[in-house]
Amino acid sequence: LQGVAYSWIAYDGSHSNDWIQIRATCGDIVEEKWVQLPMNQIILDCNPIWGNLEVTNDVIGEVLCVVSDNQGNYIHDAVIQCFATRGEFIDPDPEYQTDPYLGPEFVQTNYDGEAIARILFGAHICPPAVPPPNEVPVDLTFVVVGTEVTDTATIILLNYN
């Protein structure tokens, strides 16, 4: 007989984004499937490790992104896409690297819910000014992939020459 069966699972928020295996049995028929638990009510908090960077040569800025749920549970393996008005994202440390085919503008959280995005700023982005300093803001936007959850941050590039 064909039919539909329903089930539910209750899980602790610390298991958000975990993969689980579901097994269904009906007589002699057994089906198994891996599914990823959803991320519910997530929060993305991104802050530059250094908010102001002095640019006399090329310099690398870093932004710490933390993904958690509204109960404070950190969410691991969340993929974050990074956007910037200036600069070029470069490969993150291996701990935060996701699929290399996605590119360096994607980072993935570790088991502490943290990821660090790295961005290279060339000295030409913030040339000397008269009178010094020259100040160039860089607006950053971060999005948890597969959600509408975003956060923004700003890094100020300074040249005192």
Side-chain angles (χ1 to χ4, degrees):
L1 293 174
Q2 290 186 346
V4 176
Y6 294 95
S7 182
W8 59 270
I9 181 172
Y11 59 93
D12 185 88
S14 64
H15 293 290
S16 288
N17 215 31
D18 276 349
W19 285 89
I20 62 169
Q21 186 177 28
I22 296 176
R23 180 182 212 168
T25 305
C26 182
D28 294 338
I29 301 170
V30 177
E31 293 288 331
E32 294 180 352
K33 183 174 184 177
W34 284 93
V35 296
Q36 192 170 21
L37 295 174
M39 296 182 282
N40 294 310
Q41 299 174 337
I42 60 173
I43 298 165
L44 174 62
D45 185 31
C46 298
N47 294 292
I49 294 175
W50 304 282
N52 296 331
L53 291 175
E54 187 172 345
V55 182
T56 52
N57 295 308
D58 292 355
V59 65
I60 295 173
E62 295 182 322
V63 179
L64 172 64
C65 296
V66 178
V67 180
S68 61
D69 66 15
N70 68 342
Q71 296 177 343
N73 297 304
Y74 296 114
I75 298 178
H76 61 85
D77 298 325
V79 176
I80 302 166
Q81 186 173 10
C82 313
F83 301 91
T85 54
R86 295 174 174 81
E88 177 182 341
F89 286 96
I90 59 174
D91 286 335
D93 290 335
E95 178 180 7
Y96 310 115
Q97 195 158 22
T98 184
D99 185 338
Y101 294 107
L102 292 178
E105 64 275 6
F106 289 87
V107 292
Q108 182 170 308
T109 57
N110 62 14
Y111 272 87
D112 295 324
E114 298 178 347
I116 296 177
R118 300 173 72 216
I119 184 168
L120 175 66
F121 300 107
H124 67 280
I125 294 174
C126 188
V130 177
N134 189 12
E135 189 174 298
V136 176
V138 178
D139 296 321
L140 305 162
T141 303
F142 304 90
V143 180
V144 178
V145 174
T147 74
E148 296 180 7
V149 176
T150 66
D151 196 19
T152 60
T154 301
I155 292 177
I156 305 296
L157 304 178
L158 300 166
N159 189 329
Y160 290 97
N161 292 332

